[in-house]
Amino acid sequence: MSNKPADLPGWISAVHGLSRLLGVVAALMILVSIFVVCQMVFVRTVLEESSVWQTEFVMYLLVAATFIGAPYILLTRGHVAVDVVPLMAGPRTRRALHLVGSLIALGFCGLFLWAAIPWWHEAFTSGETTPSIWRARMWIPTLAVPVGLGLLCLQYLAEIWLVITQREHPFGLSPDDRL
């Protein structure tokens, strides 16, 4: 089973490319968070000043990195998985397990996305800000939720399509992989 970019439909290549791009963005967000925490420690300990925005900024950035990076984690199978049952199952059962699990996950992500879009839109249209001195506009950090979930849903659809069309093995396990 080959999944070279030339063998994939355009929409799947686009979803994979966006997932990789957002994976890089999420990694950069984590890196920025590390630098901001170091800056905050310097400001508080060396300069003996209070931090106004750093804690809140890092908190929102790490949560955003989680949502933005989720499609990349699914693409690379970087999530925690227990392969005992799929390894014990035959190829047809393995495919069915993958399909059921992926559809449940897609349904959950879809419902979460459906709830997140109006939540983000309300923050955008109302001009809501954080209650801190920094008063960050809430639509900016909350935008990561529908963006990440939307691409995660597309990544699930791509994964389901690849397994159904037998271009990928379910769970990334070949039929020869057994316990």
mmCIF file of all heavy atoms in Angstrom, residues 25-46:
data_model
loop_
_atom_site.group_PDB
_atom_site.id
_atom_site.type_symbol
_atom_site.label_atom_id
_atom_site.label_comp_id
_atom_site.label_asym_id
_atom_site.label_seq_id
_atom_site.Cartn_x
_atom_site.Cartn_y
_atom_site.Cartn_z
ATOM 1 N N VAL A 25 3.432 25.176 13.249
ATOM 2 C CA VAL A 25 2.931 26.348 13.973
ATOM 3 C C VAL A 25 2.771 26.021 15.459
ATOM 4 O O VAL A 25 3.155 26.815 16.328
ATOM 5 C CB VAL A 25 1.605 26.853 13.369
ATOM 6 C CG1 VAL A 25 0.944 27.899 14.253
ATOM 7 C CG2 VAL A 25 1.844 27.409 11.968
ATOM 8 N N ALA A 26 2.218 24.850 15.773
ATOM 9 C CA ALA A 26 2.040 24.449 17.176
ATOM 10 C C ALA A 26 3.392 24.324 17.881
ATOM 11 O O ALA A 26 3.536 24.755 19.029
ATOM 12 C CB ALA A 26 1.266 23.138 17.255
ATOM 13 N N ALA A 27 4.374 23.749 17.201
ATOM 14 C CA ALA A 27 5.709 23.628 17.801
ATOM 15 C C ALA A 27 6.307 25.006 18.057
ATOM 16 O O ALA A 27 6.916 25.237 19.117
ATOM 17 C CB ALA A 27 6.615 22.813 16.886
ATOM 18 N N LEU A 28 6.117 25.926 17.126
ATOM 19 C CA LEU A 28 6.613 27.294 17.325
ATOM 20 C C LEU A 28 5.894 27.988 18.481
ATOM 21 O O LEU A 28 6.505 28.751 19.230
ATOM 22 C CB LEU A 28 6.468 28.101 16.038
ATOM 23 C CG LEU A 28 7.391 27.688 14.889
ATOM 24 C CD1 LEU A 28 7.028 28.445 13.613
ATOM 25 C CD2 LEU A 28 8.849 27.895 15.254
ATOM 26 N N MET A 29 4.598 27.713 18.625
ATOM 27 C CA MET A 29 3.848 28.288 19.745
ATOM 28 C C MET A 29 4.409 27.804 21.074
ATOM 29 O O MET A 29 4.527 28.583 22.033
ATOM 30 C CB MET A 29 2.357 27.932 19.625
ATOM 31 C CG MET A 29 1.668 28.583 18.450
ATOM 32 S SD MET A 29 0.046 27.847 18.163
ATOM 33 C CE MET A 29 -1.011 29.166 18.703
ATOM 34 N N ILE A 30 4.755 26.545 21.139
ATOM 35 C CA ILE A 30 5.340 25.994 22.371
ATOM 36 C C ILE A 30 6.700 26.630 22.629
ATOM 37 O O ILE A 30 7.019 26.989 23.772
ATOM 38 C CB ILE A 30 5.428 24.462 22.287
ATOM 39 C CG1 ILE A 30 4.009 23.869 22.283
ATOM 40 C CG2 ILE A 30 6.255 23.889 23.435
ATOM 41 C CD1 ILE A 30 3.947 22.398 21.939
ATOM 42 N N LEU A 31 7.490 26.805 21.579
ATOM 43 C CA LEU A 31 8.800 27.436 21.712
ATOM 44 C C LEU A 31 8.666 28.878 22.200
ATOM 45 O O LEU A 31 9.400 29.306 23.107
ATOM 46 C CB LEU A 31 9.533 27.384 20.370
ATOM 47 C CG LEU A 31 10.997 27.779 20.356
ATOM 48 C CD1 LEU A 31 11.812 26.858 21.260
ATOM 49 C CD2 LEU A 31 11.534 27.730 18.935
ATOM 50 N N VAL A 32 7.729 29.622 21.630
ATOM 51 C CA VAL A 32 7.484 30.998 22.075
ATOM 52 C C VAL A 32 7.065 31.002 23.549
ATOM 53 O O VAL A 32 7.508 31.854 24.328
ATOM 54 C CB VAL A 32 6.425 31.692 21.189
ATOM 55 C CG1 VAL A 32 5.938 32.996 21.807
ATOM 56 C CG2 VAL A 32 6.988 31.941 19.795
ATOM 57 N N SER A 33 6.237 30.039 23.941
ATOM 58 C CA SER A 33 5.807 29.946 25.336
ATOM 59 C C SER A 33 7.001 29.770 26.271
ATOM 60 O O SER A 33 7.046 30.368 27.350
ATOM 61 C CB SER A 33 4.833 28.786 25.530
ATOM 62 O OG SER A 33 3.654 29.011 24.823
ATOM 63 N N ILE A 34 7.949 28.957 25.863
ATOM 64 C CA ILE A 34 9.147 28.744 26.688
ATOM 65 C C ILE A 34 9.916 30.048 26.866
ATOM 66 O O ILE A 34 10.312 30.396 27.985
ATOM 67 C CB ILE A 34 10.044 27.648 26.054
ATOM 68 C CG1 ILE A 34 9.346 26.294 26.139
ATOM 69 C CG2 ILE A 34 11.418 27.609 26.725
ATOM 70 C CD1 ILE A 34 9.995 25.213 25.297
ATOM 71 N N PHE A 35 10.109 30.782 25.782
ATOM 72 C CA PHE A 35 10.828 32.053 25.870
ATOM 73 C C PHE A 35 10.082 33.075 26.720
ATOM 74 O O PHE A 35 10.696 33.812 27.493
ATOM 75 C CB PHE A 35 11.104 32.619 24.473
ATOM 76 C CG PHE A 35 12.191 31.894 23.743
ATOM 77 C CD1 PHE A 35 11.923 31.255 22.546
ATOM 78 C CD2 PHE A 35 13.482 31.830 24.256
ATOM 79 C CE1 PHE A 35 12.917 30.576 21.862
ATOM 80 C CE2 PHE A 35 14.490 31.151 23.588
ATOM 81 C CZ PHE A 35 14.206 30.524 22.383
ATOM 82 N N VAL A 36 8.769 33.117 26.609
ATOM 83 C CA VAL A 36 7.987 34.060 27.407
ATOM 84 C C VAL A 36 8.055 33.704 28.887
ATOM 85 O O VAL A 36 8.164 34.596 29.737
ATOM 86 C CB VAL A 36 6.523 34.135 26.902
ATOM 87 C CG1 VAL A 36 5.648 34.931 27.859
ATOM 88 C CG2 VAL A 36 6.479 34.747 25.510
ATOM 89 N N VAL A 37 8.031 32.422 29.219
ATOM 90 C CA VAL A 37 8.169 32.015 30.625
ATOM 91 C C VAL A 37 9.545 32.439 31.156
ATOM 92 O O VAL A 37 9.659 32.953 32.271
ATOM 93 C CB VAL A 37 7.940 30.496 30.802
ATOM 94 C CG1 VAL A 37 8.388 30.023 32.177
ATOM 95 C CG2 VAL A 37 6.475 30.160 30.580
ATOM 96 N N CYS A 38 10.580 32.245 30.355
ATOM 97 C CA CYS A 38 11.927 32.667 30.774
ATOM 98 C C CYS A 38 11.979 34.181 30.964
ATOM 99 O O CYS A 38 12.572 34.671 31.938
ATOM 100 C CB CYS A 38 12.968 32.234 29.750
ATOM 101 S SG CYS A 38 13.207 30.447 29.679
ATOM 102 N N GLN A 39 11.365 34.925 30.061
ATOM 103 C CA GLN A 39 11.321 36.374 30.190
ATOM 104 C C GLN A 39 10.568 36.777 31.453
ATOM 105 O O GLN A 39 10.972 37.689 32.166
ATOM 106 C CB GLN A 39 10.662 36.980 28.940
ATOM 107 C CG GLN A 39 10.685 38.486 28.879
ATOM 108 C CD GLN A 39 9.449 39.156 29.474
ATOM 109 O OE1 GLN A 39 8.474 38.518 29.855
ATOM 110 N NE2 GLN A 39 9.515 40.462 29.583
ATOM 111 N N MET A 40 9.469 36.077 31.740
ATOM 112 C CA MET A 40 8.685 36.377 32.932
ATOM 113 C C MET A 40 9.495 36.123 34.198
ATOM 114 O O MET A 40 9.482 36.933 35.134
ATOM 115 C CB MET A 40 7.412 35.529 32.967
ATOM 116 C CG MET A 40 6.548 35.791 34.182
ATOM 117 S SD MET A 40 5.034 34.811 34.206
ATOM 118 C CE MET A 40 5.661 33.159 34.327
ATOM 119 N N VAL A 41 10.231 35.032 34.236
ATOM 120 C CA VAL A 41 11.075 34.734 35.399
ATOM 121 C C VAL A 41 12.120 35.818 35.576
ATOM 122 O O VAL A 41 12.364 36.283 36.691
ATOM 123 C CB VAL A 41 11.721 33.333 35.250
ATOM 124 C CG1 VAL A 41 12.796 33.120 36.300
ATOM 125 C CG2 VAL A 41 10.662 32.252 35.336
ATOM 126 N N PHE A 42 12.735 36.248 34.480
ATOM 127 C CA PHE A 42 13.734 37.318 34.538
ATOM 128 C C PHE A 42 13.117 38.608 35.084
ATOM 129 O O PHE A 42 13.679 39.256 35.963
ATOM 130 C CB PHE A 42 14.335 37.554 33.147
ATOM 131 C CG PHE A 42 15.322 38.683 33.114
ATOM 132 C CD1 PHE A 42 16.618 38.499 33.560
ATOM 133 C CD2 PHE A 42 14.947 39.936 32.638
ATOM 134 C CE1 PHE A 42 17.537 39.539 33.535
ATOM 135 C CE2 PHE A 42 15.846 40.977 32.613
ATOM 136 C CZ PHE A 42 17.147 40.783 33.058
ATOM 137 N N VAL A 43 11.953 38.984 34.553
ATOM 138 C CA VAL A 43 11.285 40.220 34.975
ATOM 139 C C VAL A 43 10.929 40.154 36.458
ATOM 140 O O VAL A 43 11.128 41.123 37.200
ATOM 141 C CB VAL A 43 10.029 40.484 34.114
ATOM 142 C CG1 VAL A 43 9.126 41.535 34.742
ATOM 143 C CG2 VAL A 43 10.432 40.890 32.710
ATOM 144 N N ARG A 44 10.437 39.026 36.899
ATOM 145 C CA ARG A 44 9.993 38.914 38.298
ATOM 146 C C ARG A 44 11.153 38.784 39.277
ATOM 147 O O ARG A 44 11.099 39.334 40.372
ATOM 148 C CB ARG A 44 9.032 37.745 38.445
ATOM 149 C CG ARG A 44 7.700 37.999 37.754
ATOM 150 C CD ARG A 44 6.752 36.859 37.945
ATOM 151 N NE ARG A 44 6.422 36.675 39.326
ATOM 152 C CZ ARG A 44 5.298 37.066 39.905
ATOM 153 N NH1 ARG A 44 4.398 37.677 39.191
ATOM 154 N NH2 ARG A 44 5.084 36.845 41.171
ATOM 155 N N THR A 45 12.179 38.048 38.914
ATOM 156 C CA THR A 45 13.263 37.808 39.883
ATOM 157 C C THR A 45 14.391 38.819 39.791
ATOM 158 O O THR A 45 14.857 39.309 40.804
ATOM 159 C CB THR A 45 13.841 36.393 39.717
ATOM 160 O OG1 THR A 45 14.309 36.215 38.390
ATOM 161 C CG2 THR A 45 12.813 35.339 40.048
ATOM 162 N N VAL A 46 14.836 39.149 38.602
ATOM 163 C CA VAL A 46 15.962 40.058 38.448
ATOM 164 C C VAL A 46 15.510 41.515 38.531
ATOM 165 O O VAL A 46 16.084 42.318 39.269
ATOM 166 C CB VAL A 46 16.714 39.794 37.124
ATOM 167 C CG1 VAL A 46 17.828 40.809 36.914
ATOM 168 C CG2 VAL A 46 17.276 38.378 37.098
#
